Amino acid sequence: MKVKTGKPEDGKRMHVLETRAKAPGKVNLYLAVGNPREDGYHPLATLFSSVNIYETVTARDSQEPGITLSLDIVSESLVDQQHRAGEFDLAEVPLDESNLAHRAAVSMVQAHGLTVNDLNLHLHIDKAVPVAGGMAGGSADAAAALLAVDQYLYERRLTERTLGLEELLALAAPLGADVPFVVRAAFPLGGLAVGEGTGTELRIVELPEDMIPLDIVLVAASEGLSTPQVFSELDEGRVAGRYPEAGELQVPSGLLHALTQTEAPIARIHEIGRQLRNDLQGPAVTLAPDLETILTMDNESIVEAFVSGSGPTVAILVEDAPAADELAAALRRRGRHAIATQTPAML
Ligand code: C5P
């Protein structure tokens, strides 16, 4: 939290309050999807793992009534790479009430018994996680907005307390299936969790203090994929026999064990690689066939390549950080948008 002092033109000193929060993107190290429920949502069993790439939301006093929004791209991020290639336009992101960060802010304001008309609040998003990439970029904006606005209302003395974690998670779930996990991952050691139900029922996987995060390379696509379309392709393809039928909705204990183990690091990474699964990968490849090129790329440092969530971002598991840096640089030289990072993010 930061308090800035500014000097308005009439010469009076004013205090501009500014609070800031960040929330990470994610990959799914396991994603088993069941058949759709009556409401269209799919029951699933997933292993969410935060990545060391963050969305930052700054909440500050503004001259404008209500809530306004602005957006910048984090330099050198995947979004920056997409932007420089002319594949991402800032204007694509709506800066009105439909933006998930705006909706998150409104629900936080209401949770404190206030209305938007009580405020002159500006939210600024620094964007690093791709839009429609299967990495919970929009969900991370919402999670960071919840936390920044909660703190802002408290520091502005519009409320007497900030919300507890359970209250935050209750506000997060209606905003989207990934938002509760990303809220949880904004806190220390909350970056690995089994998600059940539609993804909102979380069981945090305890991480040893000396946990060694996995080194991965994330490769963003030129165009996003619509999550509902990927789920529909899975449903239709299952009926037509293009994809295996829904299996057991359970994250294997062997995968959880390998992830939390700290011995035999190289054998452990290969064990993890063998147990990764994503039922949405086939449908994502059907809708974005270019993904196959990345997924089947031949490079000796690759342990396993997999689609993140509903895609189209591909995550490539490698043995160590130097291998990740080298592979990301090689991919960028070939015109791909790639970045080396770790998962889960150890805050
Ligand atoms: O919850 P969220 O808005 O992120 O979900 C986006 C879309 O993804 C939903 O509208 C739904 O079509 C699909 N989805 C699903 N089952 C889930 C999660 C998401 O079908 N468990």
Side-chain angles (χ1 to χ4, degrees):
M1 208 285 299
K2 253 167 82 180
V3 179
K4 270 196 180 168
T5 307
K7 219 172 177 212
E9 272 159 26
D10 68 4
K12 270 192 236 145
R13 287 181 81 77
M14 64 164 193
H15 293 279
V16 179
L17 178 67
E18 192 173 276
T19 64
R20 184 169 294 154
K22 58 181 201 166
K26 60 85 188 166
V27 293
N28 302 73
L29 297 175
Y30 196 88
L31 180 52
V33 181
N35 293 317
R37 309 186 311 196
E38 288 211 338
D39 65 359
Y41 270 80
H42 295 68
L44 48 84
T46 190
L47 183 58
F48 289 114
S49 189
S50 60
V51 295
N52 240 340
I53 298 178
Y54 295 87
E55 297 289 87
T56 306
V57 172
T58 306
R60 69 170 77 99
D61 294 334
S62 133
Q63 307 291 328
E64 303 276 322
I67 299 175
T68 52
L69 223 58
S70 60
L71 186 83
D72 261 338
I73 296 172
V74 175
S75 168
E76 305 297 319
S77 65
L78 285 172
V79 181
D80 192 23
Q81 294 178 41
Q82 291 174 316
H83 181 61
R84 280 188 273 128
E87 293 163 2
F88 173 71
D89 183 358
L90 273 176
E92 278 170 37
V93 182
L95 296 177
D96 57 16
E97 306 82 52
S98 67
N99 188 297
L100 204 55
H102 192 288
R103 286 170 47 201
V106 171
S107 67
M108 178 56 73
V109 167
Q110 289 171 348
H112 283 288
L114 299 160
T115 69
V116 172
N117 298 332
D118 297 327
L119 303 170
N120 285 42
L121 171 63
H122 183 73
L123 295 180
H124 180 76
I125 303 171
D126 285 300
K127 186 141 207 56
V129 182
V131 174
M135 288 183 59
S139 301
D141 294 342
L146 284 175
L147 296 169
V149 173
D150 194 25
Q151 191 66 29
Y152 173 88
L153 298 176
Y154 177 68
E155 297 294 336
R156 249 286 142 258
R157 308 225 170 142
L158 290 165
T159 180
E160 286 176 358
R161 66 181 190 101
T162 53
L163 299 190
L165 184 58
E166 288 308 317
E167 292 168 296
L168 279 170
L169 293 174
L171 284 188
L175 294 167
D178 294 337
V179 185
F181 170 71
V182 188
V183 165
R184 197 60 193 79
F187 291 90
L189 300 180
L192 189 66
V194 172
E196 289 173 336
T198 60
T200 62
E201 293 162 28
L202 297 176
R203 186 158 42 86
I204 296 299
V205 179
E206 299 244 342
L207 298 175
E209 290 283 344
D210 56 349
M211 159 96 190
I212 310 161
L214 301 171
D215 288 292
I216 56 169
V217 174
L218 293 170
V219 189
S222 317
E223 274 178 50
L225 274 178
S226 144
T227 304
Q229 264 181 32
V230 178
F231 275 101
S232 302
E233 168 60 24
L234 174 69
D235 297 339
E236 287 160 25
R238 274 181 170 162
V239 172
R242 284 201 296 281
Y243 312 117
E245 284 181 13
E248 199 191 357
L249 297 184
Q250 186 154 27
V251 176
S253 54
L255 177 59
L256 297 174
H257 178 259
L259 273 160
T260 48
Q261 182 195 318
T262 53
E263 267 140 47
I266 300 296
R268 161 188 176 259
I269 291 166
H270 287 267
E271 178 60 29
I272 291 165
R274 277 190 289 277
Q275 299 199 54
L276 300 171
R277 165 177 166 177
N278 182 359
D279 287 356
L280 295 179
Q281 179 156 314
V285 173
T286 301
L287 297 172
D290 177 51
L291 292 182
E292 196 67 37
T293 321
I294 305 287
L295 289 166
T296 56
M297 198 170 55
D298 195 17
N299 182 302
E300 60 181 19
S301 69
I302 296 177
V303 176
E304 197 67 52
F306 59 102
V307 167
S308 172
S310 57
T313 306
V314 171
I316 305 174
L317 179 63
V318 295
E319 285 184 357
D320 54 29
D325 287 337
E326 240 171 73
L327 182 60
L331 283 161
R332 285 194 298 268
R333 281 195 299 275
R334 283 159 51 180
R336 297 281 178 177
H337 312 314
I339 203 160
T341 187
Q342 297 83 33
T343 191
M346 305 291 287
L347 294 181

